[in-house]
């Protein structure tokens, strides 16, 4: 049985930008939810935490869940090329403009946004080590 796979990425941003980042991601996710034919993942979740060395910043991380990495990446790259996704792409760019460094790769923001596909780490579950629903 193939394990669940994850695409993980994240960045650091100012806490004062939190609401704008959250609203931007929500708009992108609303678009993706309305177009499941374009984006091939099971679910996505977003997380934040404080940056320990700077109380004015927080880390943002997202985790996409899917079963086929190649299909997932192909769908994201293909969707980015379609005319109907231009507004969503603009929203993503606006959100990532708040990034002050990426958690999963070297993103030199002085030259514009990096290739975001290179910033997604790919993880594969070990199915024999899964524990589901502990009743809590």
């Amino acid at each position: 049985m193939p394990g669940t796979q994850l695409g993980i990425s994240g960045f650091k941003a100012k806490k004062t930008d939190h609401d704008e980042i959250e609203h931007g991601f929500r708009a992108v996710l609303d678009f993706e939810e309305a177009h499941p034919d374009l984006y091939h993942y099971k679910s996505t979740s977003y997380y934040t935490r404080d940056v320990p060395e700077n109380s004015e910043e927080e880390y943002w991380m997202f985790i996409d869940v899917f079963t086929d990495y190649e299909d997932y990446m192909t769908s994201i790259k293909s969707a980015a090329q379609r005319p109907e996704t231009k507004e969503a792409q603009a929203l993503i760019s606006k959100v990532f403009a708040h990034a002050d460094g990426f958690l999963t790769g070297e993103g030199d923001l002085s030259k514009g946004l990096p290739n975001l596909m290179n910033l997604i780490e790919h993880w594969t579950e070990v199915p024999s080590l899964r524990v589901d629903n502990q009743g809590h």
Side-chain angles (χ1 to χ4, degrees):
M1 162 175 113
T4 297
Q5 297 179 38
L6 306 176
I8 302 171
S9 190
F11 59 92
K12 184 170 52 169
K14 292 182 176 123
K15 287 182 180 179
T16 55
D17 294 341
H18 181 100
D19 288 346
E20 192 171 339
I21 293 167
E22 183 176 349
H23 292 294
F25 275 138
R26 183 69 261 162
V28 170
L29 294 174
D30 287 346
F31 181 86
E32 290 180 3
E33 286 181 309
H35 297 87
D37 54 313
L38 298 178
Y39 301 95
H40 299 181
Y41 61 85
K42 290 181 176 185
S43 67
T44 191
S45 300
Y46 285 71
Y47 301 88
T48 63
R49 73 176 179 94
D50 290 343
V51 174
E53 62 274 6
N54 185 340
S55 64
E56 295 179 10
E57 292 183 311
E58 64 186 354
Y59 289 116
W60 282 82
M61 178 181 68
F62 72 82
I63 300 175
D64 287 343
V65 179
F66 47 88
T67 55
D68 183 330
Y69 177 70
E70 292 303 322
D71 181 53
Y72 164 74
M73 290 303 287
T74 298
S75 76
I76 291 174
K77 290 175 185 177
S78 176
Q81 304 305 313
R82 296 177 62 119
E84 64 267 36
T85 67
K86 293 304 177 205
E87 184 177 332
Q89 295 299 314
L91 289 168
I92 291 169
S93 292
K94 190 174 179 182
V95 168
F96 284 124
H98 294 282
D100 179 22
F102 290 85
L103 302 177
T104 53
E106 293 299 320
D108 181 1
L109 297 175
S110 67
K111 299 176 185 171
L113 289 174
N115 179 348
L116 299 176
M117 299 302 107
N118 295 334
L119 300 176
I120 298 175
E121 288 187 338
H122 175 218
W123 289 74
T124 302
E125 176 189 27
V126 180
S128 65
L129 300 177
R130 175 186 285 195
V131 175
D132 281 324
N133 192 356
Q134 291 279 83
H136 300 282

